[in-house]
Amino acid sequence: MAEMSGDGGDLLFREVQRFRQPWLWVLVLSSWAVVAFFFGYDIVQQVSHREPGGRLRDPTLFFIGLGVLTILTAAAAIIAIARLETEVRRDCLRVRFFPFHRRTHRIPLEAVASAEARTYRPIIEYGGWGIRFSSRGKAYNVRGNRGLQLVFRDGSRLLIGSGRIEELARAVAAARGGGASA
């Protein structure tokens, strides 16, 4: 699976993960639908029946409803385009959580003291999925409960979630010059 790249050396591993959990989409889209229904119902009542009443007769409530719909639409769009890109190259590990990272974060492998594949509890340990910060360090995760725990020479930690954790761990171990375990 090695490919040559003009920047960063041989590619040992590449994974792109997206938010594709059905429960997440049900939550986002049902929230949007409920707000849209009540908002739309009041608009139709006021426009088609020329009723001045309804929950949205107050301009403040109208703008709140419109704002909530806009926020839910933006959240759905971000979830739809968000992706966690992980690459292992001979000289570094690269991570990008698009659209939150404008550029790929390059992690020199010599800065890594240890790397271990592990099972974790996303909600309890990090407060969920996404780009997370906790007393346990930083985490980039999209789904699941398996990841590569990096401990850096300065003592800081980064957990990178992966759907192919064994391959990721082997690639990091190979890039670091180790054996099968990182």
Side-chain angles (χ1 to χ4, degrees), residues 106-126:
R106 185 181 180 282
I107 301 168
L109 292 172
E110 57 269 7
V112 177
S114 68
E116 176 186 357
R118 76 177 188 93
T119 300
Y120 64 100
R121 298 175 299 180
I123 294 173
I124 292 171
E125 292 182 42
Y126 295 99

Side-chain angles (χ1 to χ4, degrees), residues 4 14 16 27 43 62 65 69 75 122 127 135-136 139 144-145 148:
M4 287 301 291
R14 177 167 171 76
V16 177
L27 178 68
I43 294 295
F62 174 83
L69 273 179
S135 60
R136 299 174 185 263
N145 65 348
L148 185 69

Side-chain angles (χ1 to χ4, degrees), residues 12-13 86-95 107-110 112-117 148-151 160 164-182:
L12 302 175
F13 175 86
T86 307
E87 286 185 356
V88 179
R89 297 188 175 270
R90 295 255 175 236
D91 64 339
C92 67
L93 176 65
R94 294 178 180 204
V95 180
I107 301 168
L109 292 172
E110 57 269 7
V112 177
S114 68
E116 176 186 357
L148 185 69
Q149 180 70 66
L150 302 175
V151 178
I160 302 170
R164 297 171 26 214
I165 189 59
E166 290 79 17
E167 289 177 61
L168 175 57
R170 279 193 302 271
V172 168
R176 294 179 71 214
S181 66

Side-chain angles (χ1 to χ4, degrees), residues 12-25:
L12 302 175
F13 175 86
R14 177 167 171 76
E15 180 180 27
V16 177
Q17 299 176 78
R18 297 178 182 276
F19 289 101
R20 294 294 182 252
Q21 300 90 323
W23 65 265
L24 176 64
W25 285 104

